């Protein structure tokens, strides 16, 4: 695998958990894939004058080691496969000092007309160039709890509340949030989920952590971390649009909970992105995962989303 980005974690990229927020992991990976695209003959694919560009369709992410303020990192990757109009990249962000893998990314992107988003076939030149950077997905980068290639769950905005989803986020899309083609930067999707989820989970996590501390007498401070993510991008809002985030609990286990998120336009109901995430309760004092007490697990199970119909 070749290197396509190198830098470090800025203080302002860290969230209330004390580590780099998910939106910046996605930003750095996409920075790397933008450079990777130049090796496919797409030298100016993200410039204002571009006639063709690459749009994410689906991303699978595994978070393996947190990155704290100042941590030096680099991104490396290559091409997994190429279809008529799509390409799947594999990439990983690595801790420079010890070589530990911070996060892995499987990303399928479409070759599209820059202005319309209409897909069209890759030129033969790209097919030849892609062959030079083919990689295999390593075991640590393979999906674990969320499949990469299973069909996308479909949701309609008007049925979300009835199925047990709660609106946890609501925001405007500003001009600084979009690219040169007036499409929301991809990190704007996962970033809005990250900002919104505390409205659903913070009180529950605080109570679960307090219950655990009461049992064993150890002081703890509740936090959270995401282990695995899948995002299915459906459409792209532009400057002046609005976004609502609806979240529901899909599954609860001993240490993990699986949440589903649907990002929609609050007025038109257009669905922008469908996400699934496996998260853990994280002790910010010990910097480690803690189990969910049975009574807290039962309370979360009461919120499970209902199936269609």
């Amino acid at each position: 695998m070749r290197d396509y980005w190198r830098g470090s974690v800025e203080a302002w990229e860290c969230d209330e958990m004390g580590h780099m927020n998910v939106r910046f992991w996605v930003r750095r990976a996409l920075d790397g894939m933008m450079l990777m695209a130049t090796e496919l003959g797409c030298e100016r694919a993200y410039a204002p004058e571009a006639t063709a560009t690459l749009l994410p369709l689906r991303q699978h992410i595994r978070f393996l080691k947190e990155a704290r303020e100042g941590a030096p990192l680099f991104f490396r990757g290559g091409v997994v496969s190429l279809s008529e109009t799509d390409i799947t990249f594999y990439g990983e962000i690595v801790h420079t000092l010890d070589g530990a893998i911070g996060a892995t990314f499987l990303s399928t992107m479409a070759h599209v007309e820059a202005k319309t988003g209409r897909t069209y076939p890759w030129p033969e030149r790209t097919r030849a160039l892609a062959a030079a950077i083919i990689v295999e997905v390593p075991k640590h980068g393979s999906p674990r709890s969320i499949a990469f290639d299973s069909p996308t769950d479909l949701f309609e905005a008007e049925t979300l509340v009835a199925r047990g989803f709660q609106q946890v986020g609501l925001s405007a899309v500003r001009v600084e949030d979009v690219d040169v083609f007036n499409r929301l930067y991809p990190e704007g999707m996962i970033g809005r989920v990250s900002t919104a989820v505390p409205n659903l989970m913070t009180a529950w996590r605080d109570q679960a952590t307090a219950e655990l501390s009461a049992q064993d007498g150890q002081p703890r401070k509740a936090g959270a971390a995401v282990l695995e993510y899948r995002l299915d991008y459906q459409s792209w809002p532009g400057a002046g649009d609005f976004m609502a985030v609806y979240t529901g609990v899909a599954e609860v286990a001993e240490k993990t909970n699986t949440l589903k998120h649907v990002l929609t336009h609050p007025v038109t109901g257009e669905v922008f992105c469908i996400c699934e995430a496996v998260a853990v309760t994280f002790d910010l004092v010990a910097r480690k995962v803690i189990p969910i007490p049975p009574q807290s697990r039962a309370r979360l199970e009461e919120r499970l989303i209902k199936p269609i119909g």
Side-chain angles (χ1 to χ4, degrees):
M1 285 185 279
R2 304 183 191 179
D3 296 355
Y4 293 97
W5 174 85
R6 190 173 290 269
S8 61
V9 181
E10 302 282 0
W12 55 268
E13 294 175 329
C14 295
D15 56 25
E16 68 277 14
M17 307 304 165
H19 55 210
M20 186 163 74
N21 185 263
V22 290
R23 76 189 69 200
F24 297 108
W25 289 97
V26 170
R27 177 181 292 184
R28 300 310 175 210
L30 286 165
D31 283 349
M33 284 183 275
M34 289 167 69
L35 181 56
M36 204 185 304
T38 67
E39 295 195 348
L40 302 173
C42 307
E43 292 87 356
R44 301 284 293 169
Y46 297 92
E49 71 274 13
T51 57
T53 191
L54 280 70
L55 267 182
L57 297 176
R58 174 176 295 173
Q59 279 194 300
H60 179 279
I61 310 168
R62 286 184 67 180
F63 295 101
L64 302 176
K65 181 181 178 180
E66 65 176 343
R68 309 287 292 277
E69 178 184 345
L73 305 168
F74 67 93
F75 174 87
R76 64 190 179 196
V79 173
V80 176
S81 62
L82 191 74
S83 69
E84 183 180 3
T85 60
D86 300 347
I87 190 167
T88 297
F89 293 117
Y90 172 77
E92 52 191 36
I93 295 180
V94 184
H95 286 264
T96 305
L97 297 183
D98 61 6
I101 308 300
T104 66
F105 300 82
L106 271 171
S107 305
T108 296
M109 305 181 80
H111 182 228
V112 303
E113 293 178 356
K115 300 255 190 292
T116 67
R118 188 181 303 116
T119 58
Y120 67 100
W122 295 103
E124 287 304 317
R125 179 176 70 131
T126 296
R127 296 184 177 281
L129 292 169
I133 55 173
I134 290 290
V135 299
E136 291 188 10
V137 179
K139 183 178 181 180
H140 62 257
S142 299
R144 183 178 181 184
S145 301
I146 305 174
F148 178 64
D149 53 2
S150 60
T152 304
D153 290 333
L154 298 178
F155 296 91
E156 296 179 351
E158 59 268 24
T159 66
L160 291 173
V161 174
R163 292 187 58 190
F165 283 80
Q166 179 179 326
Q167 189 191 94
V168 294
L170 188 62
S171 60
V173 179
R174 297 173 176 269
V175 68
E176 61 264 29
D177 299 329
V178 303
D179 63 17
V180 295
F181 310 116
N182 194 32
R183 297 187 185 103
L184 180 72
Y185 283 112
E187 66 262 25
M189 301 284 195
I190 198 171
R192 279 170 170 76
V193 171
S194 174
T195 300
V197 165
N199 282 295
L200 179 70
M201 299 298 290
T202 295
W204 175 84
R205 285 198 178 99
D206 286 345
Q207 190 171 4
T209 304
E211 289 171 356
L212 195 60
S213 293
Q215 292 172 14
D216 60 18
Q218 295 184 25
R220 295 182 175 87
K221 183 179 179 182
V226 177
L227 305 181
E228 197 166 358
Y229 232 117
R230 186 175 116 175
L231 301 100
D232 289 277
Y233 301 99
Q234 306 292 302
S235 60
W236 298 92
D241 282 325
F242 298 89
M243 294 183 69
V245 180
Y246 288 86
T247 297
V249 180
E251 187 177 341
V252 185
E254 181 183 359
K255 291 186 177 180
T256 63
N257 53 80
T258 301
L259 302 178
K260 292 197 175 183
H261 314 282
V262 184
L263 283 68
T264 73
H265 193 297
V267 178
T268 68
E270 180 181 6
V271 175
F272 298 125
C273 188
I274 297 168
C275 317
E276 185 172 352
V278 177
V280 293
T281 300
F282 191 67
D283 179 5
L284 296 176
V285 177
R287 309 301 297 181
K288 66 178 184 180
V289 176
I290 55 178
I292 303 171
Q295 59 270 42
S296 295
R297 196 181 317 148
R299 284 196 300 274
L300 200 57
E301 287 172 343
E302 292 174 359
R303 304 186 190 180
L304 290 176
I305 56 177
K306 303 174 183 64
I308 296 174

